Amino acid sequence: MPDVQTLVNEFLFKLKKRKIEGSHATARQTTILLRSVISQQRIPYTHQAAALIDAVKAVGEQLVAANPVELAVGNIVRRVLHIIREEDLSPTTVAIAGLNVSAVSDDEGDTDHDDHPVLSAAAVAAASRNTLRPPSLQTLLEDLPDSAAVPHTSSSGGDSEGKSKSADKSSRSRRLKHDVIEAVNELIEDIDTCHEQIAEQAVEHIHQNEVILTLGSSRTVLEFLCAAKEKKRSFRVFVAEGAPRYQGHLLAKELVARGLQTTLIADSAVFAMISRVNMVIVGAHAVMANGGVIAPVGLNMVALAAQRHAVPFVVLAGSHKLCPLYPHNPEVLLNELRSPSELLDFGEFSDCMDFGSGTGSPLLHVVNPTFDYVPPKLVSLFITDTGGHNPSYVYRLIADYYSTDDLVLQRKPAPVN
Amino acid sequence: MIPPPRHHSDNLALLSRPVPFSPAAAPSSYTAASDFSPTATGTVAASSYSGKLAAAAGADGEPGDDVAMSPGRVGRGRVMASSVPASGLTTVSVVTMPPGITEKVGGASVEVQNERPANSKPQKEKMTKAERRALQEAQRAAKAASKGEGSKAAAAGAGAVSSEITKPNKAVKPSQKKSDSASVAPSEKKGPGGERPPEKERKKDVPHPRMQYDDESRVEKAKRKAVVKQTEARNRVELFRHLPQYEHGSQLPDLESKFFQLDLMHPAVYKVGLQYLYGDVCGGNARCIAMLKAFQEVIKEYSTPPEKTLSRDLTTKINSYVSFFTECRPLSVSMGNAIRFLKSRIANLPLTMSELEAKTTLQLDIDQFINEKIILADKVIVSHAVTKIRDGDVLLTYGSSSAVEMILLHAYELGKQFRIVVVDSRPKLEGQLLLRRLIGKGINCTYTNINAASYIMHEVTRVFLGASAVLSNGTVYSRVGTACVAMVAHAFRVPVLVCCEAYKFHERVQLDSICSNEFGDPDVISKVPGREETIGLDSLPSSGNLQLLNLIYDATPSDYVSMIITDYGMVPPTSVPVIVREYRREHLWI
């Protein structure tokens, strides 16, 4: 599809040149792009899911390669793959599990999907999990009514795909794509509303006369704090400026505009001030499978200070930031070094450096990393749009959103012979 | 290429070059004290220093070596002075030092030592009981007056003095006090005697709490008597109500206009006060030396008014200057200890000594203090510290500390192979100065911001930090951000070595950085050079919601510090109160 290809190329270009900033924007655009890819993908009668998966993987591989540090891209690609797999399994699983949801009822049931889409996805997910795992007590007990329920759900290809197969195929092909696109739409909606859902939980965590510390700027944190302010909680915020990008200034400006008592401090004063702070609330760039956080630079220092003073370190992250990968050497592999000009002006040290000296290797190195890794033991709580979780629970959330087959996005090369 | 933004005080300082500038003699002596690079190899200094400690005399052999080794130093110092009068007192840690100036050699006492007589130690003569009592009351009055400004616990020194003399006699006290204030009032516009209500606390061994600024009545009294008019900062941070938070930048014009009214403010003192106000002189050692040199000038040109004793009158004069310095910028611990030393020296002057003799003695004492406590101490520290640097090391340092810089340069001269990481932070960005000097010498350096400390700490083998003071519970009180660096180093199991001269130790204790601190200009936080248009924090309506906090110091807990390198050797942080107590007598009084 030339259309899709141009879209993909445009997006690749934007990723490579880092024109898109922030995991939220990246995730959203990736999802929209993949939706276009899916909708314009022609799929054969058999093995539709495989075809879709292949197509998405092909595009996804390129996207991830364009900006490997932006983990949200990979996350979304894997989410979509998981959705495809789940939607593929859904006709069979619904029958087996005997759920009383007629969401996947037949033929003209397209409109029915709209009635309870959320339920279908969750139910389908649960059902697929039940089938894929070894039988547990629950499934054993549910088997009995299943066999009775099978005749009720008339069509929707049962375990024996015999008679209804031919009738279903055409409808199923339509349905699979449709379902997938439905689910991807939900995903987009989730990404859009993640801030509100996280902010709803603000009232449980912020009470009266609290002092909150944050570093840099995160839209999630801003919404979180403002939601608490709406509910008439009184608190003060210390914002550390977050050199060298100084996004703390922007956050401070926003908070002051919304009427919060804000104090702007330098990053070096974090240890000095943290003894008077009740809670540290920060955003994240990505949350890894072990519960570790890839966060803007400087947050490891804040986390260590918080641990020293027994101050809770709370990380706000939308579910699109949850990455199923385990961080190996994250400071190097999942980090980006930015331009040294943010720290030193070009040529500022040219007068004292002797470029004529023998070895030729530069005397001055300037290091300007973008991200910091915060190990899971320093994090007290993750607040996502699904609620609050411990770092040790993160691996279960991953099972909700991702399939194990998708962890490696590279397709196997075609056999040579 | 965009040059680094110049501090605005540069232009102001150059423009307002008022009459008080003493002729070349003063700046040259200041310049000579400007830098602390070791002039001799550490071993020579070490042996002679320890010999000095044992003998407690004969300090002249050592300085003579200095003179012999670098004869050209004095001339160089003079040349430098004339070209850079404004920053004559600059040291390694000065913000506005122009980059091109090569390191000046720290032969502070070179010139003066030529004049030094053979044995400079005055002997204390016996005084009659009445004389001693009178002396002691005068000291107590003087100390009570200046105590509130934050000169750290002068009473401790007084305590030792008085214990030698006699028990206090309360009947004599009020009359003494009145005569003191009476004599002081006509001679000075500022009355340090009346600045605070007579202090009730007479506990000599406990350091007095410094003035707490949330006590309204005291603040009002202080304001009335102050020379430098301070206006309260617009949005004070409530957490720090007990500390002064003043507007910056409003003091200079006021001070300038007042100059000609302050007939009794010595021009040298005025100059140094201005340098403090604008941050031209920055760093514990530099400020202390600048102050002591100014006091040397004062003593040199001092003449006792009739009907007064030199010691009392001089002490009150010194007190007034100290409170002036405090208004320009709160005293550092190094300065506080030096003042305590000077006052005890003045108090110990025998009454029968002639004025000229007394003045000479005091000047020599000051020189000896500087030489022994700062310059030689630094040499000893360097000699100890270079033993901790091995080939292949990656050393991290934060900000710009004179002691650490000397260590690094010396180790490089010894031929050790190592790499340096300079960590820097806003708003002062002092690390850039250190970086410039190190690169100029050809040392391989990495430069980063404090936020990236966790990133860079993986490769680091040792951390060297400087200190403004080390307190008795082992807490290291130094530039804000030091605690963060020490904490990250501790988390990565990298040893942290703090290099601090012993005269910066103090018997006060502090648990966190809030109890006592100092504030810089808050607007510097919001103004990011080069980014004003994108951030635009200044364009906000000055609503009461936004506060800017610019801390200068912070307190590093002792468990983050592996070792403190002092001129008494390499000690753990727990040994600091021991040194303060056991060596106190010798420590500050030579």
Side-chain angles (χ1 to χ4, degrees):
Chain A
M1 314 292 129
D3 214 15
V4 170
Q5 203 47 48
T6 26
L7 285 176
V8 171
N9 287 341
E10 267 176 35
F11 193 59
L12 278 175
F13 180 78
K14 276 197 239 172
L15 281 177
K16 273 202 194 113
K17 301 295 179 196
R18 308 289 191 265
K19 287 201 189 298
I20 306 184
E21 288 250 10
S23 36
H24 184 260
T26 318
R28 197 166 190 286
Q29 294 198 23
T30 312
T31 326
I32 292 173
L33 178 71
L34 289 177
R35 185 178 60 183
S36 327
V37 168
I38 292 172
S39 63
Q40 301 198 11
Q41 179 74 16
R42 294 176 63 186
I43 45 176
Y45 275 166
T46 56
H47 304 110
Q48 307 164 8
L52 275 181
I53 286 173
D54 254 352
V56 172
K57 256 195 186 174
V59 176
E61 215 182 330
Q62 294 176 55
L63 294 177
V64 170
N67 189 348
V69 176
E70 187 57 76
L71 294 164
V73 175
N75 295 349
I76 295 300
V77 170
R78 293 185 184 95
R79 282 286 282 270
V80 170
L81 290 171
H82 183 70
I83 287 172
I84 298 173
R85 285 181 205 277
E86 275 189 358
E87 296 295 340
D88 188 38
L89 288 167
S90 61
T92 54
T93 55
V94 166
I96 291 172
L99 290 168
N100 210 3
V101 179
S102 60
V104 204
S105 68
D106 211 309
D107 309 278
E108 287 78 30
D110 285 353
T111 49
D112 293 354
H113 294 259
D114 303 343
D115 296 340
H116 26 223
V118 178
L119 193 51
S120 85
V124 163
S128 67
R129 269 203 302 282
N130 282 339
T131 48
L132 294 174
R133 296 200 193 141
S136 69
L137 198 58
Q138 212 155 11
T139 51
L140 285 175
L141 289 173
E142 281 169 357
D143 269 339
L144 289 176
D146 284 355
S147 49
V150 164
H152 288 296
T153 58
S154 50
S155 52
S156 77
D159 28 1
S160 65
E161 301 194 340
K163 34 186 184 9
S164 49
K165 198 174 178 184
S166 51
D168 281 330
K169 242 190 269 187
S170 51
S171 53
R172 221 161 28 121
S173 67
R174 271 204 331 268
R175 253 202 330 266
L176 178 64
K177 226 193 199 181
H178 187 97
D179 293 345
V180 168
I181 292 190
E182 288 281 331
V184 172
N185 282 336
E186 283 160 27
L187 179 58
I188 295 179
E189 212 182 294
D190 274 345
I191 294 176
D192 283 338
T193 58
C194 75
H195 297 291
E196 283 95 75
Q197 292 188 331
I198 292 175
E200 276 167 14
Q201 305 172 51
V203 200
E204 295 168 18
H205 297 283
I206 301 180
H207 304 109
Q208 296 291 346
N209 294 335
E210 297 227 357
V211 181
I212 294 179
L213 173 73
T214 185
L215 187 141
S217 170
S218 162
R219 190 176 143 202
T220 326
V221 171
L222 175 64
E223 304 276 339
F224 193 82
L225 295 176
C226 293
K229 175 94 173 60
E230 301 289 313
K231 299 285 196 310
K232 311 282 184 255
R233 297 291 162 97
S234 70
F235 57 97
R236 308 182 50 229
V237 184
F238 281 111
V239 179
E241 59 182 3
R245 302 188 69 187
Y246 302 108
Q247 294 192 324
H249 291 243
L250 298 170
L251 180 68
K253 204 164 150 188
E254 285 290 316
L255 289 174
V256 167
R258 303 212 200 180
L260 276 169
Q261 285 279 327
T262 317
T263 305
L264 186 61
I265 61 175
D267 309 314
S268 39
V270 162
F271 191 89
M273 300 308 300
I274 202 159
S275 56
R276 297 293 192 272
V277 167
N278 296 130
M279 192 176 347
V280 178
I281 300 182
V282 294
H285 175 72
V287 179
M288 309 306 290
N290 65 341
V293 181
I294 306 288
V297 71
L299 278 172
N300 192 25
M301 194 171 73
V302 177
L304 287 170
Q307 188 196 39
R308 158 84 185 201
H309 291 89
V311 173
F313 188 81
V314 175
V315 177
L316 308 180
S319 53
H320 60 273
K321 295 190 180 172
L322 186 60
C323 181
L325 300 176
Y326 185 87
H328 296 284
N329 202 3
E331 291 90 357
V332 178
L333 299 179
L334 291 174
N335 210 340
E336 243 187 342
L337 295 181
R338 298 169 71 93
S339 165
S341 64
E342 290 178 358
L343 295 181
L344 286 179
D345 288 328
F346 285 116
E348 195 170 310
F349 279 76
S350 52
D351 52 346
C352 53
M353 290 215 280
D354 179 15
F355 292 102
S357 64
T359 57
S361 63
L363 276 182
L364 177 62
H365 293 266
V366 179
V367 176
N368 188 6
T370 320
F371 297 120
D372 232 352
Y373 174 68
V374 182
K377 64 179 191 315
L378 297 178
V379 180
S380 310
L381 189 68
F382 282 108
I383 297 184
T384 68
D385 36 1
T386 49
H389 308 290
N390 242 12
S392 52
Y393 185 73
V394 168
Y395 78 101
R396 294 307 265 194
L397 289 178
I398 286 172
D400 267 352
Y401 298 132
Y402 304 102
S403 320
T404 47
D405 301 326
D406 300 326
L407 288 183
V408 179
L409 283 178
Q410 277 81 9
R411 290 167 298 170
K412 293 186 182 49
V416 179
N417 284 359
Chain B
M1 305 300 124
I2 307 167
R6 292 246 163 247
H7 199 270
H8 72 283
S9 69
D10 235 1
N11 300 326
L12 282 172
L14 286 171
L15 286 176
S16 67
R17 205 41 57 207
V19 177
F21 247 52
S22 319
S28 66
S29 62
Y30 285 29
T31 341
S34 57
D35 203 28
F36 306 112
S37 51
T39 55
T41 56
T43 50
V44 175
S47 54
S48 60
Y49 186 66
S50 48
K52 198 184 213 203
L53 278 183
D60 316 305
E62 216 285 319
D65 294 342
D66 279 346
V67 179
M69 263 175 230
S70 41
R73 208 180 309 151
V74 174
R76 214 182 330 154
R78 286 246 160 73
V79 170
M80 280 307 178
S82 53
S83 62
V84 196
S87 48
L89 268 160
T90 59
T91 70
V92 294
S93 38
V94 160
V95 176
T96 56
M97 182 179 229
I101 292 190
T102 57
E103 283 187 63
K104 296 189 276 272
V105 199
S109 41
V110 167
E111 299 151 280
V112 192
Q113 276 153 18
N114 296 329
E115 315 141 9
R116 187 193 277 226
N119 277 324
S120 54
K121 279 250 180 282
Q123 294 300 319
K124 259 213 311 226
E125 296 164 13
K126 293 286 179 195
M127 295 184 262
T128 67
K129 188 163 185 202
E131 279 176 348
R132 283 182 297 203
R133 199 177 297 148
L135 192 61
Q136 186 223 331
E137 293 311 318
Q139 285 155 20
R140 189 182 297 141
K143 253 159 246 121
S146 65
K147 176 180 40 187
E149 282 89 305
S151 60
K152 310 292 184 272
V161 173
S162 61
S163 63
E164 282 175 21
I165 307 180
T166 43
K167 298 252 305 263
N169 187 346
K170 299 249 188 305
V172 186
K173 176 184 42 147
S175 59
Q176 281 294 345
K177 233 182 178 10
K178 280 207 197 63
S179 65
D180 250 356
S181 348
S183 63
V184 161
S187 57
E188 269 151 342
K189 296 257 165 19
K190 219 161 32 68
E195 191 163 312
R196 308 269 176 276
E199 294 300 334
K200 304 294 188 298
E201 310 96 281
R202 294 277 161 210
K203 298 183 277 291
K204 293 289 186 282
D205 19 326
V206 174
H208 293 254
R210 284 132 296 132
M211 172 149 144
Q212 303 292 326
Y213 282 81
D214 44 3
D215 187 339
E216 284 296 323
S217 57
R218 289 205 190 166
V219 173
E220 283 309 310
K221 272 213 176 94
K223 270 201 206 158
R224 262 182 269 135
K225 300 289 171 40
V227 177
V228 182
K229 282 274 170 289
Q230 310 264 20
T231 54
E232 291 273 324
R234 262 174 315 163
N235 287 329
R236 289 197 308 176
V237 182
E238 281 308 300
L239 196 57
F240 289 98
R241 282 199 62 204
H242 60 285
L243 295 171
Q245 295 178 50
Y246 292 125
E247 287 254 338
H248 277 243
S250 54
Q251 298 124 343
L252 180 63
D254 195 50
L255 200 56
E256 272 185 324
S257 62
K258 268 200 178 161
F259 173 70
F260 292 102
Q261 304 161 18
L262 302 170
D263 335 299
L264 294 153
M265 182 66 61
H266 194 276
V269 169
Y270 183 71
K271 173 184 164 197
V272 170
L274 282 186
Q275 286 177 328
Y276 286 165
L277 196 58
Y278 278 95
D280 285 349
V281 174
C282 181
N285 287 340
R287 288 169 69 190
C288 185
I289 290 187
M291 182 187 71
L292 286 176
K293 290 294 182 186
F295 284 161
Q296 253 187 347
E297 284 294 313
V298 168
I299 291 173
K300 192 158 83 171
E301 298 175 11
Y302 174 74
S303 58
T304 322
E307 315 278 334
K308 297 224 182 72
T309 55
L310 175 134
S311 55
R312 259 190 285 145
D313 187 54
L314 189 57
T315 311
T316 41
K317 232 186 166 75
I318 298 279
N319 286 338
S320 68
Y321 294 153
V322 167
S323 42
F324 171 67
F325 283 146
T326 313
E327 285 157 19
C328 292
R329 192 179 157 185
L331 293 183
S332 65
V333 169
S334 56
M335 290 166 71
N337 284 345
I339 291 168
R340 222 199 300 179
F341 149 78
L342 183 61
K343 285 198 193 159
S344 72
R345 283 271 124 227
I346 296 176
N348 285 344
L349 286 176
L351 289 174
T352 56
M353 219 182 211
S354 77
E355 182 178 315
L356 186 60
E357 242 183 86
K359 279 164 49 167
T360 327
T361 314
L362 284 177
Q363 290 177 68
L364 293 175
D365 281 346
I366 290 181
D367 278 329
Q368 194 178 5
F369 183 87
I370 293 178
N371 194 38
E372 201 176 290
K373 297 293 168 193
I374 304 181
I375 299 179
L376 286 176
D378 279 337
K379 288 191 194 150
V380 174
I381 289 175
V382 165
S383 68
H384 283 309
V386 292
T387 60
K388 292 295 173 194
I389 301 179
R390 308 158 300 183
D391 281 345
D393 262 347
V394 180
L395 309 175
L396 184 139
T397 182
Y398 174 71
S400 166
S401 161
S402 53
V404 173
E405 183 176 338
M406 279 195 267
I407 293 170
L408 297 175
L409 292 175
H410 191 241
Y412 185 69
E413 279 162 26
L414 288 180
K416 304 211 179 200
Q417 302 294 322
F418 57 91
R419 206 157 57 82
I420 296 180
V421 178
V422 177
V423 175
D424 201 8
S425 83
R426 278 233 321 144
K428 286 203 162 188
L429 292 176
E430 291 170 325
Q432 291 188 5
L433 302 169
L434 176 65
L435 185 67
R436 191 171 282 283
R437 287 187 284 258
L438 292 176
I439 298 239
K441 289 278 176 177
I443 305 180
N444 203 340
C445 294
T446 305
Y447 176 78
T448 180
N449 198 35
I450 193 174
N451 279 336
S454 323
Y455 177 85
I456 205 84
M457 198 59 75
H458 291 282
E459 345 178 308
V460 173
T461 55
R462 299 247 193 283
V463 174
F464 279 90
L465 298 173
S468 171
V470 182
L471 307 176
S472 270
N473 60 340
T475 309
V476 176
Y477 190 70
S478 62
R479 186 66 76 223
V480 67
T482 311
C484 290
V485 171
M487 171 184 69
V488 175
H490 182 79
F492 285 86
R493 302 204 202 297
V494 175
V496 174
L497 293 87
V498 172
C499 310
C500 176
E501 298 85 358
Y503 86 106
K504 289 179 180 168
F505 291 179
H506 200 271
E507 59 260 12
R508 133 170 110 92
V509 292
Q510 191 170 332
L511 289 172
D512 60 19
S513 322
I514 316 274
C515 330
S516 155
N517 212 318
E518 192 188 322
F519 296 103
D521 189 1
D523 293 327
V524 174
I525 295 271
S526 60
K527 289 193 186 61
V528 179
R531 305 256 189 130
E532 281 96 2
E533 59 290 340
T534 53
I535 297 178
L537 209 55
D538 307 323
S539 59
L540 278 184
S542 56
S543 50
N545 281 340
L546 179 65
Q547 292 155 355
L548 301 166
L549 186 59
N550 185 2
L551 290 175
I552 304 277
Y553 291 113
D554 72 7
T556 308
S558 57
D559 40 345
Y560 289 153
V561 178
S562 314
M563 185 159 72
I564 302 186
I565 305 179
T566 76
D567 39 329
Y568 287 104
M570 297 193 272
V571 298
T574 46
S575 296
V576 170
V578 173
I579 290 179
V580 169
R581 181 188 145 127
E582 299 302 327
Y583 291 101
R584 180 173 57 186
R585 205 147 293 198
E586 181 197 310
H587 187 66
L588 284 184
W589 302 350
I590 307 184

